[in-house]
Amino acid sequence: MLMEEPVLKSGRRQLLAACTCCTQPFAASAVSRRDLLKSGAAALAATSLPSRLFAQAKPHRIDVHHHIAPPSWLAAMDVIGRSDFLLSNWSVQKTIEDMDKGGVATAMTSPTTPQVTPLGKAVAVRVARESNEFAKKMTNDHPGRFGVFATLPLPHIDESLKEIAYAFDTLQVDGIGVMTSYNDKWLGHPMFEPVWEELNRRKATVYTHPTTPNCCVNLVPGVPEFIVEFGTDTTRTIASLILSGTSQKYKDINWIWSHGGGALSAFAERFLVQVVAVPPYRGKLTRETMEGELKRFYYDTAAITGSVTLEALSKLVPTSQIVYGTDFPYRTAADHTKGVTALFKGDDLAKVERENALRLIPRLKSA
């Protein structure tokens, strides 16, 4: 579907908040106003302690899952009816404020689904380029605070190869951001092989974000796609990469899976037991190979910082493969910091919050 050139909308709605407070007379109380104010101040300090600590400590976390809304991308989403309230009201100032509240030093930025997939070739190429240049300008304007996972005009292969060259050689981005699927093709499909070959040559980091494939749009009426389909599509594409042999062939690509690999922890036993025990993979793929691939991938913490989901991931893969992510603006850094610090401690916490990401993006050591 080829769309017309998008036109920026004006008059975006702004969020307004107001707070009113009231006091009650203390004449009938045996407690003095001074004592009550002292106890109230102490209680307030106690309840706000975590956020105060995050704000006062020097930001050090690296957020690998952080969305931005470049103007031309947002305009394109408006034209095709895919804009949402949070991204329509996004700003650099809001993103930095959220980072500071959660103790995030650096956010690796990327547009969210559907990136540029539905736009038609010419518009997709233009919007991808403008989005990458916008993200790079953010890194220049705010040294040390941002990095870039560049957008490609997939599923257009030749154009994506050109954007890879521009993104790395001219913009000097930190990696590439892709969707888990494009229309009805997942990342292990042969059509993507030229892209993986080039990114493998560059030893690139590839961050992935889920989307909804053609098969499953409005599959269950009344259930939003992000509730079930996003996590499922991440798991589908992990299976596609491994079972096609793609991930084993291109060992120098560092894959980051959003949301802890989606539904992977729930399906892990099927990956490790059933799939290697029956045709067509019995005798061709061993449990050791499957386990080795799952344990070399990286998985971010976005939207899985509850004790059940995060602990399940920590039992499936080594702590060395878990990286901090927030999914801003859909979730907050402070929320994820609270969940991550509740489970991980000491050296493990340092790995998840920063050190594992530094292996993928070593330039940030001096940021």
Side-chain angles (χ1 to χ4, degrees):
M1 176 184 67
L2 182 62
M3 58 170 279
E4 299 295 329
E5 290 289 317
V7 179
L8 282 171
K9 288 187 175 183
S10 62
R12 301 222 177 262
R13 290 181 293 173
Q14 298 296 321
L15 289 173
L16 298 176
C19 176
T20 58
C21 301
C22 60
T23 58
Q24 298 295 329
F26 299 94
S29 173
V31 181
S32 72
R33 180 182 178 90
R34 178 178 297 176
D35 290 340
L36 188 60
L37 290 175
K38 285 182 178 178
S39 62
L44 179 61
T47 57
S48 62
L49 184 59
S51 60
R52 286 172 56 229
L53 285 176
F54 299 155
Q56 290 174 3
K58 181 180 179 181
H60 63 281
R61 299 175 180 92
I62 298 173
D63 178 4
V64 304
H65 186 151
H66 194 103
H67 299 307
I68 60 173
S72 62
W73 177 84
L74 189 61
M77 294 302 102
D78 282 348
V79 169
I80 65 173
R82 293 294 294 269
S83 59
D84 65 54
F85 179 74
L86 287 172
L87 286 175
S88 294
N89 287 274
W90 175 88
S91 69
V92 176
Q93 179 182 355
K94 289 179 181 178
T95 212
I96 291 176
E97 288 173 355
D98 190 81
M99 289 165 63
D100 290 343
K101 289 177 183 178
V104 174
T106 306
M108 309 304 300
T109 65
S110 58
T112 188
T113 183
Q115 285 197 350
V116 298
T117 309
L119 303 185
K121 184 188 294 186
V123 178
V125 168
R126 177 182 62 78
V127 173
R129 173 64 57 87
E130 292 174 357
S131 296
N132 294 335
E133 291 177 339
F134 177 87
K136 182 62 180 181
K137 185 176 186 300
M138 284 178 60
T139 71
N140 294 336
D141 291 346
H142 306 275
R145 300 310 307 268
F146 297 106
V148 181
F149 289 149
T151 299
L152 300 181
L154 286 170
H156 310 291
I157 302 302
D158 290 343
E159 290 74 15
S160 293
L161 292 173
K162 293 176 183 177
E163 192 61 25
I164 288 171
Y166 180 77
F168 280 109
D169 298 337
T170 301
L171 298 182
Q172 297 183 327
V173 301
D174 301 289
I176 298 295
V178 301
M179 298 286 94
T180 50
S181 62
Y182 292 88
N183 300 321
D184 59 352
K185 294 179 176 61
W186 286 266
L187 300 185
H189 193 279
M191 72 169 287
F192 299 114
E193 189 147 349
V195 172
W196 308 145
E197 184 176 6
E198 175 61 13
L199 293 175
N200 189 72
R201 184 184 72 82
R202 292 176 178 270
K203 296 180 170 57
T205 292
V206 176
Y207 154 85
T208 64
H209 193 278
T211 191
T212 305
N214 287 347
C215 69
C216 305
V217 175
N218 200 31
L219 186 63
V220 183
V223 178
E225 296 164 4
F226 68 87
I227 296 294
V228 175
E229 289 307 320
F230 279 16
T232 307
D233 209 56
T234 299
T235 308
R236 288 190 189 105
T237 211
I238 292 173
S240 171
L241 274 176
I242 297 175
L243 297 181
S244 67
T246 302
S247 66
Q248 298 94 302
K249 182 176 181 180
Y250 300 113
K251 285 284 192 182
D252 287 331
I253 294 177
N254 296 307
W255 299 93
I256 301 176
W257 303 108
S258 294
H259 312 127
L264 179 62
S265 57
F267 290 120
E269 190 161 339
R270 294 178 180 271
F271 276 62
L272 296 170
V273 178
Q274 279 103 315
V275 75
V276 300
V278 298
Y281 299 106
R282 184 175 63 191
K284 297 180 181 179
L285 183 68
T286 66
R287 175 171 179 147
E288 290 71 27
T289 299
M290 177 67 77
E291 196 165 25
E293 292 303 287
L294 294 179
K295 289 187 175 181
R296 82 173 182 87
F297 296 151
Y298 290 82
Y299 306 83
D300 78 39
T301 65
I304 63 155
T305 52
S307 59
V308 173
T309 45
L310 191 55
E311 188 167 351
L313 178 64
S314 71
K315 292 180 182 295
L316 178 63
V317 302
T319 306
S320 62
Q321 306 308 114
I322 301 174
V323 287
Y324 178 93
T326 69
D327 213 347
F328 183 83
Y330 301 101
R331 296 283 296 273
T332 68
D335 184 28
H336 284 77
T337 294
K338 181 180 178 181
V340 168
T341 56
L343 179 63
F344 297 106
K345 307 296 179 184
D347 291 343
D348 284 344
L349 179 60
K351 291 176 183 178
V352 172
E353 290 187 325
R354 182 174 178 85
E355 292 174 7
N356 295 338
L358 288 178
R359 294 205 310 275
L360 299 172
I361 315 158
R363 75 164 183 86
L364 295 181
K365 292 178 181 178
S366 58

